[in-house]
C-alpha cells in the first residue's frame, strides 16, 4: 500500500531505544502529546456530562423513558453525521475538524448550564443538546482515527490505540463521573454543566497548538496523469462538493461490501449494539439507584469500575504484540465480555455490579484496541477516514432503536430479563460470526506481524493491483 506525503514513519530505531516500553512510544512524537492532552480534556467533559445529564433528568422528575428520549436523540445525531464525518475527514485537515468540534461542544454545554442555573431547563433542551453532541461525535471519531496514522509510524499504532483505550475509560468513565458526582453532591447538576463547558473549551485551546497535518493521498500510478489533469481542469460546477461527498461515501460502501472480514465484523457489531447499548446507557443508571439505593456517587463508582477495567485491559493489549488470531480474539472479547451483564439485573449489591462492569469494560477494551489497530493497518490510508465513519455508521445503525426501546422494555419486563438478554445473546452472535464468516481462514491469509511491515492491505481479500484501480471504500467509541 502506498503512502502519501502526510505519512511519517522513520526513526524506528531511535524511538525504540528511547522508549523501551511499547505503550509509551507514541509520546515521543510532540504532535501526539498535544493530541493526547486535548483528548483528555474532551473526555473529561464527556464523563461529567454522562452523570450530570442523568441526575438533571431525575431532578426534573424524569425516569427511564425520559432518559431513553435524550439518549435516542444523541444516537440519531451520531448516526446522521458519521458518514459525512468520514468523508470530510478525508478532505479537510483533521486538526481543523477536531478544533471546530470542541468549540461547538463548549458552546452547547454552556447553553445548557445557563438554562439549568436560571431554572428554565426542560428535558427537551437536553434532547436537543444530546443530538448536537451526537453530530459532533460523528465528525470527531473519524477525524481522530484518520489523524493518528498520519503522525505516527505503523508499529506505534497499537500502542496509541491502547493509550486511547486507557484514557477513554479512565477519564470519561472514571475521573469525569467522579468529578461530576462530587460537584452534584456539593452543588447541583447545573454546576456540573459549567465544568463540561470549561473542559471542552480548554481542549479547543490545546488543539490550536497542533499544526494541520497534510492529507494522505495515494501516490499517482502510471497512466493517472491524464485523468488528474482533466479533473483539475474541470469547472467547479462539474465537481460540486455535494457530489464529491456522495461519491466518496459510495466508494466506502463498496469497499466494505467487497471486504469480508470488515463486513462480517460490522454486522456483528450492529447486532451487538442493538442488544446491549440500550440496557447499558438507559437502564444501568436506574438499576444502580433503584436496586442498590445509591445516588450519583454510586453510579459514578460503577462507571469508574467499567473505566478502570477498560484502562487496565488497554494497557495490557498495548504492551503486547497484535494477536496472531486478531479477528477471532477481537470478536470473542466483545461477545464473551457481555456475560457479566446478567448480574446487573438480578443483584441489589453494589459491589457485585462493580465487579461485573469491570469485567465488561476489560473485554470491550481488548476488542476495541485490536479493532482500531486493524483498521489502521489493513485499510488504505486515503480511505481511512471514510472507513472509520462507516464503521461507526454500520455498527451503530441500531443504536437509536436500542436507546428508544430500552426504557419501555425495562419498565415492561423488568431489569432482570432485559439484562439477561443483553448478557447471553452477544456470546452466541460472536461464535456465529467467527464460524460463518470464516474469520480464522482470513487471519491465516493476512497475518499482521508486530513490526508494522506485514501485509498492510492491498490485501483485504482483494489483490493489491485491484485496490489501486478500485472504485471502492470505508469502516469506531468509546
Amino acid at each position: 500500500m502506498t503512502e502519501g506525503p502526510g505519512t511519517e514513519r522513520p526513526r524506528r530505531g531511535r524511538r525504540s531505544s528511547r522508549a523501551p516500553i511499547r505503550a509509551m512510544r507514541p509520546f515521543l512524537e510532540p504532535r501526539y502529546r498535544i493530541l493526547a492532552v486535548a483528548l483528555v480534556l474532551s473526555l473529561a467533559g464527556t464523563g461529567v456530562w454522562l452523570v450530570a445529564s442523568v441526575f438533571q433528568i431525575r431532578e426534573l422528575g424524569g425516569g427511564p423513558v425520559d432518559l431513553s428520549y435524550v439518549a435516542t436523540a444523541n444516537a440519531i445525531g451520531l448516526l446522521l453525521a458519521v458518514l459525512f464525518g468520514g468523508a470530510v475527514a478525508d478532505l479537510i485537515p483533521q486538526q481543523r475538524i477536531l478544533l471546530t468540534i470542541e468549540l461547538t461542544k463548549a458552546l452547547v454545554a454552556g447553553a445548557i448550564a445557563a438554562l439549568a442555573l436560571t431554572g428554565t431547563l426542560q428535558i427537551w433542551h437536553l434532547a436537543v443538546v444530546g443530538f448536537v453532541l451526537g453530530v459532533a461525535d460523528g465528525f470527531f471519531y473519524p477525524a481522530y482515527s484518520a489523524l493518528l496514522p498520519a503522525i505516527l509510524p505503523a508499529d506505534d499504532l497499537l500502542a496509541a490505540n491502547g493509550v486511547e483505550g486507557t484514557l477513554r475509560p479512565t477519564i470519561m468513565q472514571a475521573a469525569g463521573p467522579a468529578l461530576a458526582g462530587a460537584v452534584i453532591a456539593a452543588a447541583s447538576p447545573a454546576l456540573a454543566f459549567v465544568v463540561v463547558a470549561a473542559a471542552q473549551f480548554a481542549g479547543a485551546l490545546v488543539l490550536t497548538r497542533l499544526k494541520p497535518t497534510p492529507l494522505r493521498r495515494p501516490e499517482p500510478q502510471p497512466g493517472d496523469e491524464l485523468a488528474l489533469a482533466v479533473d483539475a481542469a474541470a469547472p467547479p460546477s462539474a465537481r460540486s462538493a455535494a457530489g464529491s461527498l456522495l461519491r466518496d461515501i459510495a466508494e466506502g460502501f463498496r469497499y466494505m461490501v467487497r471486504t469480508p472480514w470488515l463486513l462480517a465484523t460490522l454486522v456483528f457489531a450492529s447486532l451487538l449494539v442493538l442488544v446491549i447499548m440500550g440496557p447499558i446507557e438507559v437502564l444501568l443508571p436506574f438499576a444502580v439507584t433503584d436496586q442498590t439505593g445509591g445516588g450519583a456517587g454510586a453510579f459514578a463508582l460503577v462507571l469508574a469500575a467499567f473505566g478502570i477495567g477498560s484502562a487496565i485491559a488497554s494497557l495490557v493489549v498495548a504492551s503486547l504484540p497484535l494477536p496472531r488470531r486478531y479477528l477471532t480474539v477481537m470478536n470473542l472479547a466483545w461477545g464473551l465480555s457481555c456475560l457479566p451483564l446478567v448480574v446487573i439485573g438480578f443483584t441489589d449489591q453494589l459491589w457485585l455490579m462493580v465487579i461485573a462492569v469491570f469485567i465488561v469494560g476489560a473485554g470491550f477494551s481488548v476488542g476495541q484496541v485490536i479493532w482500531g489497530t486493524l483498521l489502521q493497518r489493513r485499510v488504505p490510508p486515503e480511505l481511512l477516514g471514510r472507513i472509520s465513519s462507516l464503521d461507526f455508521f454500520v455498527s451503530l445503525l441500531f443504536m437509536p432503536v436500542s436507546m428508544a426501546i430500552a426504557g419501555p422494555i425495562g419498565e415492561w419486563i423488568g431489569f432482570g430479563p432485559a439484562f439477561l438478554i443483553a448478557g447471553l445473546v452477544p456470546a452466541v452472535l460472536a461464535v456465529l460470526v467467527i464460524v460463518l464468516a470464516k474469520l480464522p481462514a482470513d487471519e491465516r491469509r493476512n497475518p499482521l506481524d508486530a513490526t508494522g511491515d506485514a501485509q498492510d492491505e492491498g490485501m483485504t481479500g482483494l489483490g493489491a493491483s485491484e485496490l489501486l484501480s478500485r472504485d471502492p471504500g470505508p469502516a469506531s467509541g468509546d
Side-chain angles (χ1 to χ4, degrees):
M1 181 178 65
T2 57
E3 299 177 8
T7 306
E8 298 183 12
R9 307 177 68 90
R11 309 198 306 269
R12 284 184 188 161
R14 182 162 60 89
R15 291 167 68 91
S16 296
S17 63
R18 291 171 56 195
I21 301 176
R22 177 189 296 269
M24 294 295 102
R25 285 201 316 230
F27 289 97
L28 295 175
E29 170 57 56
R31 290 172 298 174
Y32 180 77
R33 293 198 295 268
I34 294 172
L35 185 62
V37 172
L39 182 64
V40 166
L41 291 166
S42 180
L43 292 174
T46 301
V48 175
W49 172 269
L50 289 174
V51 176
S53 58
V54 169
F55 283 88
Q56 183 66 68
I57 288 172
R58 296 201 69 146
E59 189 173 282
L60 293 172
V65 173
D66 298 291
L67 186 54
S68 265
Y69 172 47
V70 175
T72 301
N74 179 267
I76 291 173
L78 174 61
L79 199 60
L80 291 178
V82 74
L83 281 181
F84 294 98
V88 169
D90 287 334
L91 295 173
I92 297 174
Q94 294 91 15
Q95 179 267 357
R96 296 177 187 170
I97 298 173
L98 298 178
L99 176 58
T100 301
I101 290 167
E102 291 306 299
L103 288 173
T104 300
K105 291 167 77 172
L107 287 173
V108 296
I112 282 292
L115 290 172
L117 288 169
T118 57
T120 56
L121 182 65
Q122 299 180 37
I123 289 177
W124 72 266
H125 293 137
L126 290 169
V128 171
V129 171
F131 176 84
V132 174
L133 294 177
V135 171
D137 285 342
F139 283 89
F140 183 94
Y141 293 114
Y144 178 87
S145 297
L147 179 59
L148 271 187
I151 64 177
L152 292 173
D155 53 357
D156 283 355
L157 290 176
L158 182 65
N161 287 311
V163 169
E164 185 203 354
T166 302
L167 291 177
R168 187 170 300 282
T170 302
I171 304 301
M172 187 174 78
Q173 290 150 342
L179 176 60
V183 172
I184 292 170
S188 67
L191 186 58
F193 292 133
V194 175
V195 175
V196 174
Q200 306 295 170
F201 184 71
L205 287 179
V206 171
L207 284 171
T208 60
R209 298 178 58 84
L210 182 64
K211 294 181 180 180
T213 301
L215 296 172
R216 301 191 303 162
R217 298 295 186 189
E219 293 177 3
Q221 302 299 307
D224 286 350
E225 292 80 3
L226 179 59
L228 291 172
V230 170
D231 184 65
S237 59
R239 295 179 284 124
S240 69
S244 176
L245 280 177
L246 292 176
R247 285 194 298 272
D248 286 346
I249 292 170
E251 183 181 15
F253 271 102
R254 286 193 292 272
Y255 181 83
M256 179 191 71
V257 172
R258 295 167 61 183
T259 308
W261 64 268
L262 181 58
L263 180 61
T265 303
L266 289 180
V267 169
F268 167 55
S270 66
L271 296 175
L272 180 68
V273 165
L274 175 63
V275 174
I276 70 167
M277 192 59 69
I280 289 176
E281 294 287 334
V282 175
L283 300 183
L284 179 60
F286 292 94
V288 172
T289 56
D290 295 352
Q291 292 174 199
T292 72
F299 180 49
L301 179 61
V302 171
L303 289 181
F306 185 98
I308 293 169
S310 297
I312 292 173
S314 295
L315 279 176
V316 171
V317 176
S319 301
L320 298 172
L322 193 68
R324 291 182 61 192
R325 296 291 177 253
Y326 50 88
L327 291 169
T328 301
V329 172
M330 178 182 70
N331 284 288
L332 284 178
W334 281 332
L336 297 181
S337 65
C338 293
L339 290 173
L341 288 175
V342 175
V343 175
I344 302 295
F346 294 97
T347 185
D348 59 1
Q349 299 297 312
L350 182 62
W351 68 271
L352 284 176
M353 290 189 179
V354 166
I355 293 174
V357 298
F358 177 91
I359 297 171
V360 174
F364 277 16
S365 236
V366 169
Q368 194 59 39
V369 173
I370 295 173
W371 177 242
T373 307
L374 178 57
L375 293 183
Q376 291 157 354
R377 291 283 299 279
R378 291 190 63 178
V379 171
E382 71 275 13
L383 287 172
L384 188 53
R386 281 165 286 171
I387 295 297
S388 298
S389 70
L390 192 57
D391 165 26
F392 276 97
F393 178 79
V394 175
S395 61
L396 300 183
L397 187 61
F398 296 123
M399 188 166 83
V401 178
S402 185
M403 299 292 197
I405 66 176
I409 286 179
E411 292 188 344
W412 176 41
I413 66 175
F415 289 174
F419 279 104
L420 181 66
I421 295 170
L424 297 181
V425 171
V428 176
L429 291 175
V431 174
L432 286 176
V433 75
I434 290 169
V435 173
L436 296 179
K438 301 178 180 178
L439 297 184
D442 183 280
E443 295 165 329
R444 289 191 294 270
R445 289 194 305 269
N446 299 282
L448 295 177
D449 64 18
T451 64
D453 296 323
Q455 292 172 278
D456 258 319
E457 195 98 348
M459 332 283 179
T460 49
L462 304 176
S465 61
E466 186 176 355
L467 270 177
L468 292 173
S469 61
R470 74 199 175 297
D471 211 17
S476 313
D478 193 34

